[in-house]
mmCIF file of all heavy atoms in Angstrom:
data_model
loop_
_atom_site.group_PDB
_atom_site.id
_atom_site.type_symbol
_atom_site.label_atom_id
_atom_site.label_comp_id
_atom_site.label_asym_id
_atom_site.label_seq_id
_atom_site.Cartn_x
_atom_site.Cartn_y
_atom_site.Cartn_z
ATOM 1 N N TRP A 271 -71.181 2.345 -67.617
ATOM 2 C CA TRP A 271 -71.791 1.900 -68.873
ATOM 3 C C TRP A 271 -73.102 1.139 -68.669
ATOM 4 O O TRP A 271 -73.225 0.319 -67.771
ATOM 5 C CB TRP A 271 -70.804 1.036 -69.666
ATOM 6 C CG TRP A 271 -69.545 1.778 -69.959
ATOM 7 C CD1 TRP A 271 -68.322 1.616 -69.361
ATOM 8 C CD2 TRP A 271 -69.389 2.855 -70.904
ATOM 9 N NE1 TRP A 271 -67.424 2.520 -69.874
ATOM 10 C CE2 TRP A 271 -68.040 3.288 -70.814
ATOM 11 C CE3 TRP A 271 -70.250 3.492 -71.809
ATOM 12 C CZ2 TRP A 271 -67.539 4.333 -71.606
ATOM 13 C CZ3 TRP A 271 -69.757 4.528 -72.586
ATOM 14 C CH2 TRP A 271 -68.410 4.932 -72.483
ATOM 15 N N LEU A 272 -74.020 1.412 -69.550
ATOM 16 C CA LEU A 272 -75.326 0.761 -69.543
ATOM 17 C C LEU A 272 -75.231 -0.671 -70.076
ATOM 18 O O LEU A 272 -75.940 -1.568 -69.641
ATOM 19 C CB LEU A 272 -76.260 1.583 -70.447
ATOM 20 C CG LEU A 272 -77.707 1.186 -70.553
ATOM 21 C CD1 LEU A 272 -78.416 1.413 -69.231
ATOM 22 C CD2 LEU A 272 -78.397 1.997 -71.647
ATOM 23 N N ASP A 273 -74.376 -0.876 -71.038
ATOM 24 C CA ASP A 273 -74.238 -2.162 -71.716
ATOM 25 C C ASP A 273 -72.796 -2.246 -72.179
ATOM 26 O O ASP A 273 -72.268 -1.281 -72.737
ATOM 27 C CB ASP A 273 -75.207 -2.198 -72.918
ATOM 28 C CG ASP A 273 -75.371 -3.584 -73.532
ATOM 29 O OD1 ASP A 273 -74.349 -4.287 -73.690
ATOM 30 O OD2 ASP A 273 -76.503 -3.960 -73.853
ATOM 31 N N TRP A 274 -72.158 -3.390 -71.927
ATOM 32 C CA TRP A 274 -70.737 -3.519 -72.276
ATOM 33 C C TRP A 274 -70.531 -4.116 -73.657
ATOM 34 O O TRP A 274 -69.410 -4.157 -74.161
ATOM 35 C CB TRP A 274 -70.022 -4.367 -71.227
ATOM 36 C CG TRP A 274 -69.857 -3.624 -69.939
ATOM 37 C CD1 TRP A 274 -70.805 -3.492 -68.946
ATOM 38 C CD2 TRP A 274 -68.721 -2.881 -69.504
ATOM 39 N NE1 TRP A 274 -70.309 -2.707 -67.933
ATOM 40 C CE2 TRP A 274 -69.028 -2.328 -68.239
ATOM 41 C CE3 TRP A 274 -67.456 -2.627 -70.052
ATOM 42 C CZ2 TRP A 274 -68.130 -1.540 -67.519
ATOM 43 C CZ3 TRP A 274 -66.563 -1.850 -69.331
ATOM 44 C CH2 TRP A 274 -66.895 -1.314 -68.086
ATOM 45 N N GLY A 275 -71.587 -4.640 -74.272
ATOM 46 C CA GLY A 275 -71.459 -5.216 -75.611
ATOM 47 C C GLY A 275 -71.292 -4.115 -76.640
ATOM 48 O O GLY A 275 -71.449 -2.931 -76.341
ATOM 49 N N LYS A 276 -70.994 -4.539 -77.865
ATOM 50 C CA LYS A 276 -70.756 -3.537 -78.915
ATOM 51 C C LYS A 276 -72.039 -3.067 -79.578
ATOM 52 O O LYS A 276 -72.017 -2.121 -80.357
ATOM 53 C CB LYS A 276 -69.816 -4.127 -79.980
ATOM 54 C CG LYS A 276 -68.370 -4.230 -79.504
ATOM 55 C CD LYS A 276 -67.477 -4.872 -80.562
ATOM 56 C CE LYS A 276 -66.050 -5.014 -80.050
ATOM 57 N NZ LYS A 276 -65.244 -5.920 -80.890
ATOM 58 N N ASP A 277 -73.151 -3.726 -79.290
ATOM 59 C CA ASP A 277 -74.352 -3.446 -80.082
ATOM 60 C C ASP A 277 -75.579 -3.031 -79.283
ATOM 61 O O ASP A 277 -76.647 -3.656 -79.374
ATOM 62 C CB ASP A 277 -74.668 -4.661 -80.962
ATOM 63 C CG ASP A 277 -73.530 -4.935 -81.930
ATOM 64 O OD1 ASP A 277 -73.187 -4.030 -82.694
ATOM 65 O OD2 ASP A 277 -72.960 -6.043 -81.886
ATOM 66 N N ASN A 278 -75.442 -1.976 -78.546
ATOM 67 C CA ASN A 278 -76.621 -1.364 -77.923
ATOM 68 C C ASN A 278 -76.381 0.130 -77.879
ATOM 69 O O ASN A 278 -75.649 0.619 -77.044
ATOM 70 C CB ASN A 278 -76.840 -1.922 -76.516
ATOM 71 C CG ASN A 278 -78.087 -1.334 -75.865
ATOM 72 O OD1 ASN A 278 -78.785 -0.500 -76.462
ATOM 73 N ND2 ASN A 278 -78.363 -1.758 -74.653
ATOM 74 N N TYR A 279 -77.017 0.828 -78.813
ATOM 75 C CA TYR A 279 -76.798 2.273 -78.875
ATOM 76 C C TYR A 279 -78.129 3.017 -78.833
ATOM 77 O O TYR A 279 -79.172 2.487 -79.211
ATOM 78 C CB TYR A 279 -76.038 2.657 -80.157
ATOM 79 C CG TYR A 279 -75.542 4.084 -80.079
ATOM 80 C CD1 TYR A 279 -74.724 4.471 -79.027
ATOM 81 C CD2 TYR A 279 -75.911 5.041 -81.014
ATOM 82 C CE1 TYR A 279 -74.282 5.792 -78.920
ATOM 83 C CE2 TYR A 279 -75.465 6.353 -80.910
ATOM 84 C CZ TYR A 279 -74.654 6.725 -79.863
ATOM 85 O OH TYR A 279 -74.224 8.015 -79.744
ATOM 86 N N ALA A 280 -78.032 4.274 -78.386
ATOM 87 C CA ALA A 280 -79.179 5.196 -78.425
ATOM 88 C C ALA A 280 -80.358 4.691 -77.602
ATOM 89 O O ALA A 280 -81.507 4.991 -77.913
ATOM 90 C CB ALA A 280 -79.605 5.472 -79.870
ATOM 91 N N SER A 281 -80.073 3.925 -76.550
ATOM 92 C CA SER A 281 -81.129 3.452 -75.645
ATOM 93 C C SER A 281 -81.834 4.643 -75.012
ATOM 94 O O SER A 281 -81.199 5.516 -74.423
ATOM 95 C CB SER A 281 -80.516 2.629 -74.506
ATOM 96 O OG SER A 281 -80.620 1.269 -74.791
ATOM 97 N N VAL A 282 -83.145 4.680 -75.123
ATOM 98 C CA VAL A 282 -83.960 5.694 -74.446
ATOM 99 C C VAL A 282 -85.238 5.018 -73.945
ATOM 100 O O VAL A 282 -85.523 3.885 -74.314
ATOM 101 C CB VAL A 282 -84.327 6.877 -75.373
ATOM 102 C CG1 VAL A 282 -83.160 7.833 -75.557
ATOM 103 C CG2 VAL A 282 -84.851 6.390 -76.710
ATOM 104 N N SER A 283 -86.003 5.744 -73.117
ATOM 105 C CA SER A 283 -87.133 5.100 -72.448
ATOM 106 C C SER A 283 -88.492 5.575 -72.962
ATOM 107 O O SER A 283 -88.612 6.626 -73.589
ATOM 108 C CB SER A 283 -87.040 5.354 -70.940
ATOM 109 O OG SER A 283 -87.214 6.722 -70.656
ATOM 110 N N PHE A 284 -89.501 4.766 -72.661
ATOM 111 C CA PHE A 284 -90.890 5.049 -73.034
ATOM 112 C C PHE A 284 -91.499 6.078 -72.095
ATOM 113 O O PHE A 284 -91.219 6.091 -70.899
ATOM 114 C CB PHE A 284 -91.729 3.770 -72.914
ATOM 115 C CG PHE A 284 -91.583 2.840 -74.074
ATOM 116 C CD1 PHE A 284 -90.516 1.959 -74.137
ATOM 117 C CD2 PHE A 284 -92.523 2.826 -75.095
ATOM 118 C CE1 PHE A 284 -90.382 1.085 -75.201
ATOM 119 C CE2 PHE A 284 -92.395 1.956 -76.161
ATOM 120 C CZ PHE A 284 -91.320 1.087 -76.219
ATOM 121 N N ASP A 285 -92.406 6.876 -72.641
ATOM 122 C CA ASP A 285 -93.225 7.778 -71.844
ATOM 123 C C ASP A 285 -94.514 7.056 -71.461
ATOM 124 O O ASP A 285 -95.045 6.253 -72.244
ATOM 125 C CB ASP A 285 -93.565 9.025 -72.682
ATOM 126 C CG ASP A 285 -94.353 10.054 -71.887
ATOM 127 O OD1 ASP A 285 -93.830 10.537 -70.869
ATOM 128 O OD2 ASP A 285 -95.502 10.370 -72.274
ATOM 129 N N ASN A 286 -94.985 7.345 -70.229
ATOM 130 C CA ASN A 286 -96.355 6.979 -69.852
ATOM 131 C C ASN A 286 -96.618 5.477 -69.716
ATOM 132 O O ASN A 286 -97.735 5.019 -69.970
ATOM 133 C CB ASN A 286 -97.325 7.593 -70.891
ATOM 134 C CG ASN A 286 -98.748 7.640 -70.389
ATOM 135 O OD1 ASN A 286 -98.984 7.941 -69.215
ATOM 136 N ND2 ASN A 286 -99.702 7.343 -71.250
ATOM 137 N N VAL A 287 -95.625 4.695 -69.324
ATOM 138 C CA VAL A 287 -95.827 3.251 -69.177
ATOM 139 C C VAL A 287 -96.635 2.980 -67.900
ATOM 140 O O VAL A 287 -96.407 3.613 -66.877
ATOM 141 C CB VAL A 287 -94.469 2.514 -69.123
ATOM 142 C CG1 VAL A 287 -94.652 1.026 -68.848
ATOM 143 C CG2 VAL A 287 -93.704 2.725 -70.422
ATOM 144 N N PRO A 288 -97.609 2.045 -67.947
ATOM 145 C CA PRO A 288 -98.389 1.719 -66.750
ATOM 146 C C PRO A 288 -97.494 1.346 -65.566
ATOM 147 O O PRO A 288 -96.414 0.795 -65.749
ATOM 148 C CB PRO A 288 -99.213 0.501 -67.195
ATOM 149 C CG PRO A 288 -99.288 0.595 -68.672
ATOM 150 C CD PRO A 288 -98.047 1.287 -69.123
ATOM 151 N N GLN A 289 -97.974 1.625 -64.385
ATOM 152 C CA GLN A 289 -97.289 1.315 -63.110
ATOM 153 C C GLN A 289 -95.927 1.991 -62.989
ATOM 154 O O GLN A 289 -95.057 1.512 -62.265
ATOM 155 C CB GLN A 289 -97.115 -0.195 -62.931
ATOM 156 C CG GLN A 289 -98.421 -0.941 -62.825
ATOM 157 C CD GLN A 289 -98.308 -2.381 -63.286
ATOM 158 O OE1 GLN A 289 -97.243 -2.828 -63.712
ATOM 159 N NE2 GLN A 289 -99.406 -3.098 -63.210
ATOM 160 N N ASP A 290 -95.780 3.103 -63.708
ATOM 161 C CA ASP A 290 -94.520 3.856 -63.606
ATOM 162 C C ASP A 290 -93.281 3.054 -63.958
ATOM 163 O O ASP A 290 -92.189 3.358 -63.473
ATOM 164 C CB ASP A 290 -94.350 4.391 -62.173
ATOM 165 C CG ASP A 290 -94.928 5.790 -62.046
ATOM 166 O OD1 ASP A 290 -95.166 6.414 -63.111
ATOM 167 O OD2 ASP A 290 -95.143 6.247 -60.906
ATOM 168 N N LYS A 291 -93.431 2.023 -64.750
ATOM 169 C CA LYS A 291 -92.235 1.258 -65.119
ATOM 170 C C LYS A 291 -91.393 2.063 -66.081
ATOM 171 O O LYS A 291 -91.910 2.848 -66.868
ATOM 172 C CB LYS A 291 -92.647 -0.049 -65.794
ATOM 173 C CG LYS A 291 -93.255 -1.016 -64.824
ATOM 174 C CD LYS A 291 -93.491 -2.360 -65.461
ATOM 175 C CE LYS A 291 -94.149 -3.239 -64.426
ATOM 176 N NZ LYS A 291 -94.002 -4.627 -64.641
ATOM 177 N N ARG A 292 -90.111 1.885 -66.008
ATOM 178 C CA ARG A 292 -89.199 2.574 -66.921
ATOM 179 C C ARG A 292 -88.653 1.528 -67.889
ATOM 180 O O ARG A 292 -87.905 0.624 -67.507
ATOM 181 C CB ARG A 292 -88.105 3.212 -66.077
ATOM 182 C CG ARG A 292 -87.251 4.292 -66.679
ATOM 183 C CD ARG A 292 -87.894 5.356 -67.500
ATOM 184 N NE ARG A 292 -88.760 6.281 -66.825
ATOM 185 C CZ ARG A 292 -89.370 7.313 -67.419
ATOM 186 N NH1 ARG A 292 -89.188 7.555 -68.701
ATOM 187 N NH2 ARG A 292 -90.182 8.097 -66.737
ATOM 188 N N ILE A 293 -89.079 1.611 -69.121
ATOM 189 C CA ILE A 293 -88.729 0.601 -70.129
ATOM 190 C C ILE A 293 -87.870 1.244 -71.213
ATOM 191 O O ILE A 293 -88.215 2.309 -71.724
ATOM 192 C CB ILE A 293 -90.002 0.047 -70.819
ATOM 193 C CG1 ILE A 293 -91.069 -0.347 -69.797
ATOM 194 C CG2 ILE A 293 -89.662 -1.068 -71.787
ATOM 195 C CD1 ILE A 293 -90.897 -1.671 -69.165
ATOM 196 N N ILE A 294 -86.776 0.598 -71.545
ATOM 197 C CA ILE A 294 -85.905 1.156 -72.586
ATOM 198 C C ILE A 294 -85.753 0.182 -73.760
ATOM 199 O O ILE A 294 -85.926 -1.040 -73.612
ATOM 200 C CB ILE A 294 -84.492 1.513 -72.049
ATOM 201 C CG1 ILE A 294 -83.773 0.271 -71.506
ATOM 202 C CG2 ILE A 294 -84.573 2.577 -70.963
ATOM 203 C CD1 ILE A 294 -82.314 0.520 -71.130
ATOM 204 N N ILE A 295 -85.444 0.753 -74.901
ATOM 205 C CA ILE A 295 -85.084 -0.041 -76.083
ATOM 206 C C ILE A 295 -83.866 0.632 -76.700
ATOM 207 O O ILE A 295 -83.751 1.858 -76.665
ATOM 208 C CB ILE A 295 -86.246 -0.076 -77.106
ATOM 209 C CG1 ILE A 295 -87.377 -0.981 -76.594
ATOM 210 C CG2 ILE A 295 -85.791 -0.549 -78.491
ATOM 211 C CD1 ILE A 295 -88.508 -1.191 -77.585
ATOM 212 N N GLY A 296 -82.965 -0.158 -77.242
ATOM 213 C CA GLY A 296 -81.786 0.404 -77.908
ATOM 214 C C GLY A 296 -81.698 -0.090 -79.354
ATOM 215 O O GLY A 296 -82.377 -1.052 -79.740
ATOM 216 N N TRP A 297 -80.884 0.596 -80.095
ATOM 217 C CA TRP A 297 -80.592 0.184 -81.478
ATOM 218 C C TRP A 297 -79.481 -0.856 -81.398
ATOM 219 O O TRP A 297 -78.415 -0.576 -80.830
ATOM 220 C CB TRP A 297 -80.144 1.413 -82.265
ATOM 221 C CG TRP A 297 -79.638 1.173 -83.638
ATOM 222 C CD1 TRP A 297 -80.205 0.415 -84.622
ATOM 223 C CD2 TRP A 297 -78.448 1.738 -84.222
ATOM 224 N NE1 TRP A 297 -79.462 0.481 -85.778
ATOM 225 C CE2 TRP A 297 -78.371 1.279 -85.558
ATOM 226 C CE3 TRP A 297 -77.446 2.589 -83.755
ATOM 227 C CZ2 TRP A 297 -77.344 1.642 -86.420
ATOM 228 C CZ3 TRP A 297 -76.415 2.945 -84.611
ATOM 229 C CH2 TRP A 297 -76.370 2.474 -85.927
ATOM 230 N N MET A 298 -79.719 -2.052 -81.941
ATOM 231 C CA MET A 298 -78.769 -3.145 -81.752
ATOM 232 C C MET A 298 -77.698 -3.122 -82.856
ATOM 233 O O MET A 298 -77.603 -4.038 -83.678
ATOM 234 C CB MET A 298 -79.512 -4.485 -81.724
ATOM 235 C CG MET A 298 -78.716 -5.558 -81.047
ATOM 236 S SD MET A 298 -79.671 -6.858 -80.263
ATOM 237 C CE MET A 298 -80.759 -7.435 -81.535
ATOM 238 N N SER A 299 -76.916 -2.047 -82.836
ATOM 239 C CA SER A 299 -75.806 -1.983 -83.777
ATOM 240 C C SER A 299 -74.787 -0.967 -83.259
ATOM 241 O O SER A 299 -74.890 -0.517 -82.119
ATOM 242 C CB SER A 299 -76.298 -1.609 -85.173
ATOM 243 O OG SER A 299 -75.311 -1.925 -86.139
ATOM 244 N N ASN A 300 -73.841 -0.650 -84.094
ATOM 245 C CA ASN A 300 -72.733 0.213 -83.689
ATOM 246 C C ASN A 300 -72.322 1.029 -84.911
ATOM 247 O O ASN A 300 -72.185 0.480 -86.006
ATOM 248 C CB ASN A 300 -71.576 -0.677 -83.215
ATOM 249 C CG ASN A 300 -70.477 0.103 -82.561
ATOM 250 O OD1 ASN A 300 -70.012 1.120 -83.073
ATOM 251 N ND2 ASN A 300 -70.023 -0.373 -81.412
ATOM 252 N N TRP A 301 -72.155 2.328 -84.711
ATOM 253 C CA TRP A 301 -71.811 3.190 -85.853
ATOM 254 C C TRP A 301 -70.508 2.790 -86.535
ATOM 255 O O TRP A 301 -70.248 3.197 -87.667
ATOM 256 C CB TRP A 301 -71.764 4.662 -85.416
ATOM 257 C CG TRP A 301 -73.127 5.284 -85.378
ATOM 258 C CD1 TRP A 301 -73.771 5.775 -84.278
ATOM 259 C CD2 TRP A 301 -74.029 5.476 -86.490
ATOM 260 N NE1 TRP A 301 -75.018 6.256 -84.644
ATOM 261 C CE2 TRP A 301 -75.198 6.086 -85.989
ATOM 262 C CE3 TRP A 301 -73.963 5.182 -87.852
ATOM 263 C CZ2 TRP A 301 -76.289 6.417 -86.803
ATOM 264 C CZ3 TRP A 301 -75.049 5.515 -88.659
ATOM 265 C CH2 TRP A 301 -76.191 6.122 -88.141
ATOM 266 N N GLU A 302 -69.670 2.000 -85.867
ATOM 267 C CA GLU A 302 -68.401 1.601 -86.490
ATOM 268 C C GLU A 302 -68.617 0.721 -87.717
ATOM 269 O O GLU A 302 -67.788 0.694 -88.610
ATOM 270 C CB GLU A 302 -67.533 0.835 -85.491
ATOM 271 C CG GLU A 302 -67.086 1.683 -84.327
ATOM 272 C CD GLU A 302 -65.591 1.792 -84.222
ATOM 273 O OE1 GLU A 302 -65.014 2.626 -84.936
ATOM 274 O OE2 GLU A 302 -65.013 1.052 -83.421
#
Side-chain angles (χ1 to χ4, degrees):
W271 302 105
L272 184 67
D273 192 317
W274 288 82
K276 286 178 182 166
D277 298 303
N278 182 359
Y279 193 57
S281 262
V282 283
S283 66
F284 280 83
D285 183 60
N286 197 40
V287 175
Q289 296 153 359
D290 268 344
K291 289 187 182 202
R292 197 43 68 178
I293 312 279
I294 61 173
I295 287 186
W297 172 48
M298 201 152 53
S299 197
N300 190 312
W301 278 117
E302 295 240 82

